[in-house]
Amino acid sequence: MAPGAPSSNPSPILAALLFSSLVLSPAQAIVVYTDKEVHGAVGSRVTLHCSFWSSEWVSDDISFTWRYQPEGGRDAISIFHYAKGQPYIDEVGTFKERIQWVGDPLWKDGSIVIHNLDYSDNGTFTCDVKNPPDIVGKTSQVTLYVFEKVPTRYGVVLGAVIGGVLGGVLLLLLLFYLIRYCWLRRQAALQRRLSAMEKGKLHKSVKDSSKRGRQTPVLYAMLDHSRSTKAASEKKTKGLGESRKDKK
């Protein structure tokens, strides 16, 4: 380009890429969730939970597919399918008449129940969800272990022990604060009672002192009156004695 020449317009391809990056949002893959593993006892039933997240609204064409791979096996077989609002259960396989649909697509739930468990049910179950147009994403797997009696897992025991210890500590703290609260409340009541008694004694002493203060002038007046009366009587007696001497 020659110096001073006007710059050329941006490439149409660059403009299209810029528009798509600013306006068009990229498609997000569907995400499926299951438990990592579940345990069941022979003859009992177990629920295989399956849920999903999708950037799209739940479609009328949503579908759930469950596949089963036996323990030690290489191939996975389809044992359950849900589409167009209808569940389709395997009619000839090992899970014949033992699968129950308990999911709800509106709640993004594709769970199933397997009844009458047997040792041969040990294996891996895969849940696959399609929610058109969101159909791209990874499946999720859950491993089933069937026992004669479901063992108590170490994590459950440890959690129960920790929960019991924490519960005991919380109970002790609650008792401590309750006792402390009752003691403080009792001390406050005693303090109020002592304060009331001291106020009563002070009021009584003030009242007695004021009463004595009122009685003192009266006593003085009575003493003065008795003294003046006594002086008058003595004067009168003396005058009578002098008058009698004069008559003689």
Side-chain angles (χ1 to χ4, degrees), residues 236-246:
K236 185 176 180 181
T237 304
K238 187 177 181 181
L240 289 175
E242 290 178 354
S243 62
R244 288 176 183 175
K245 288 181 179 181
D246 292 338

Side-chain angles (χ1 to χ4, degrees), residues 190-236:
L190 290 175
Q191 189 68 27
R192 288 194 298 268
R193 188 177 301 175
L194 291 175
S195 299
M197 292 175 64
E198 291 178 356
K199 289 181 179 178
K201 289 180 179 179
L202 180 61
H203 180 70
K204 185 177 181 180
S205 62
V206 171
K207 187 175 181 181
D208 292 342
S209 62
S210 62
K211 186 176 181 181
R212 287 195 299 269
R214 288 195 300 270
Q215 289 177 351
T216 300
V218 176
L219 291 175
Y220 284 139
M222 291 176 65
L223 289 173
D224 291 340
H225 179 70
S226 62
R227 289 174 182 174
S228 61
T229 303
K230 185 178 181 180
S233 63
E234 289 178 353
K235 187 176 181 181
K236 185 176 180 181

Side-chain angles (χ1 to χ4, degrees), residues 5 43 97 141 144 152 225:
E97 298 179 353
Q141 296 180 339
L144 172 63
T152 302
H225 179 70

Side-chain angles (χ1 to χ4, degrees), residues 42-180:
V42 174
S44 66
R45 66 179 183 178
V46 70
T47 301
L48 303 181
H49 297 281
C50 177
S51 59
F52 70 94
W53 178 90
S54 174
S55 60
E56 303 290 339
W57 292 97
V58 176
S59 171
D60 293 336
D61 296 327
I62 188 173
S63 65
F64 297 90
T65 301
W66 280 93
R67 297 182 179 89
Y68 168 66
Q69 182 178 351
E71 187 178 23
R74 295 183 178 181
D75 299 328
I77 58 174
S78 177
I79 60 173
F80 177 85
H81 186 69
Y82 177 94
K84 300 295 182 180
Q86 295 293 328
Y88 299 93
I89 302 174
D90 178 25
E91 295 292 340
V92 296
T94 182
F95 296 100
K96 179 182 178 181
E97 298 179 353
R98 293 197 294 138
I99 295 180
Q100 178 185 359
W101 165 251
V102 293
D104 188 346
L106 295 180
W107 290 95
K108 299 182 178 181
D109 184 9
S111 303
I112 60 174
V113 174
I114 299 179
H115 296 268
N116 195 20
L117 291 176
D118 191 76
Y119 291 116
S120 60
D121 297 333
N122 285 322
T124 302
F125 294 80
T126 303
C127 180
D128 186 15
V129 183
K130 305 295 183 186
N131 184 39
D134 194 358
I135 59 175
V136 179
K138 292 183 178 180
T139 59
S140 185
Q141 296 180 339
V142 53
T143 303
L144 172 63
Y145 296 98
V146 181
F147 301 92
E148 182 179 357
K149 183 181 295 185
V150 178
T152 302
R153 289 179 290 181
Y154 174 76
V156 175
V157 176
L158 182 61
V161 172
I162 294 176
V165 172
L166 291 178
V169 172
L170 291 177
L171 181 60
L172 290 176
L173 288 176
L174 180 62
L175 289 176
F176 170 76
Y177 281 109
L178 181 61
I179 293 173
R180 186 171 182 270

